[in-house]
Amino acid sequence: MFAAASLGGALDEVAQAFEEDTGHEVALSFAGSSVLARQITLGAPADAYLSANTNWLDVVEDAGLLAGGTRRDFAGNALVLIAPAAQAAPATLPETPEDLAAALGGGRLSMALVEAIPAGQYGKAALSHLGLWDLAEPHVVQTDNVRAALALVALGEARLGVVYATDAQAEPKVRSVAPFPAETHPQITYPAAAIASGDVATATAFLDYLTSDAGQAILQRHGFLPAPEVPE
């Protein structure tokens, strides 16, 4: 199973429960969604792909590599600004460039790759919507995935970071400063599908478990939201 880095921890628990219930063995490979999509389109063997946004799964689907009828949305998330837990930081989301400059204090802002990785793309969109991107951009240190961006803040190597709410919940060395309002960025949706060249039957069974009450309970315990409803 190729899965977005932000699913680490939660998906490990889902996989363990699935293994105990079915006897199947699950091997998880975590990385940035864009990296995984490119690997699959280049022929990397995978049974399923779980992305942190719809666009990268669209890339794999457009390449004709998905097993028909297996695609589904399975979770949502929120975007938050974080700081090291032991560091003084603003109590609210900066509203002006001056607020952001003061919060950064000349330090770095950690984000996943803003042109390729979903968390980075959502973060850039949110900062742009708030009129803060032009000031933030020179301070941004970009990482290959959102968990690496989280780690920089946890280690105190970045003064602030933009990650998912689930990442902040998973790391005790950071604290969430404030969430970004949902209207500041595209809706965060996690889709998944089986890969046609893989073990479609077992992959579909895993995805069915992921979207079952048991799988959803695990995800939501880790802070994930239910999959956003598709407007009719």
Side-chain angles (χ1 to χ4, degrees):
M1 305 294 170
F2 280 23
S6 55
L7 290 165
L11 199 62
D12 292 288
E13 188 175 336
V14 173
Q16 181 179 350
F18 175 74
E19 289 176 336
E20 291 171 353
D21 283 0
T22 66
H24 291 297
E25 293 185 4
V26 179
L28 297 170
S29 179
F30 295 105
S33 296
S34 61
V35 173
L36 297 174
R38 291 184 183 115
Q39 289 176 348
I40 293 170
T41 58
L42 291 172
D47 295 312
Y49 171 43
L50 295 81
S51 176
N53 76 359
T54 58
N55 292 341
W56 285 114
L57 194 61
D58 289 344
V59 169
V60 179
E61 183 169 31
D62 291 344
L65 300 176
L66 300 188
T70 65
R71 179 169 178 165
R72 79 283 307 271
D73 297 337
F74 66 90
N77 214 330
L79 198 68
V80 298
L81 184 71
I82 60 168
Q87 172 188 291
T92 59
L93 195 68
E95 296 182 354
T96 67
E98 292 76 18
D99 290 342
L100 180 59
L104 285 170
R108 308 295 283 173
L109 174 64
S110 180
M111 298 177 67
L113 292 168
V114 300
E115 300 298 337
I117 302 300
Q121 294 171 316
Y122 294 132
K124 180 181 177 180
L127 290 168
S128 297
H129 182 93
L130 295 170
L132 302 175
W133 177 248
D134 287 345
L135 178 114
E137 185 176 13
H139 299 274
V140 171
V141 55
Q142 299 186 50
T143 63
D144 288 340
N145 61 70
V146 70
R147 286 299 172 92
L150 176 71
L152 289 181
V153 180
L155 293 169
E157 295 179 11
R159 192 167 181 84
L160 296 172
V162 179
V163 300
Y164 296 121
T166 50
D167 299 312
Q169 178 175 316
E171 176 51 75
K173 293 181 180 179
V174 309
R175 65 181 179 87
S176 177
V177 173
F180 287 90
E183 65 270 16
T184 63
H185 56 80
Q187 189 175 61
I188 300 173
T189 302
Y190 286 72
I195 303 301
S197 60
D199 182 347
V200 174
T202 305
T204 301
F206 178 77
L207 297 181
D208 288 344
Y209 189 87
L210 184 66
T211 53
S212 71
D213 289 345
Q216 289 292 296
I218 293 171
L219 289 177
Q220 289 168 34
R221 188 164 64 250
H222 284 264
F224 286 91
L225 303 172
E229 299 258 338
V230 178
E232 295 184 3

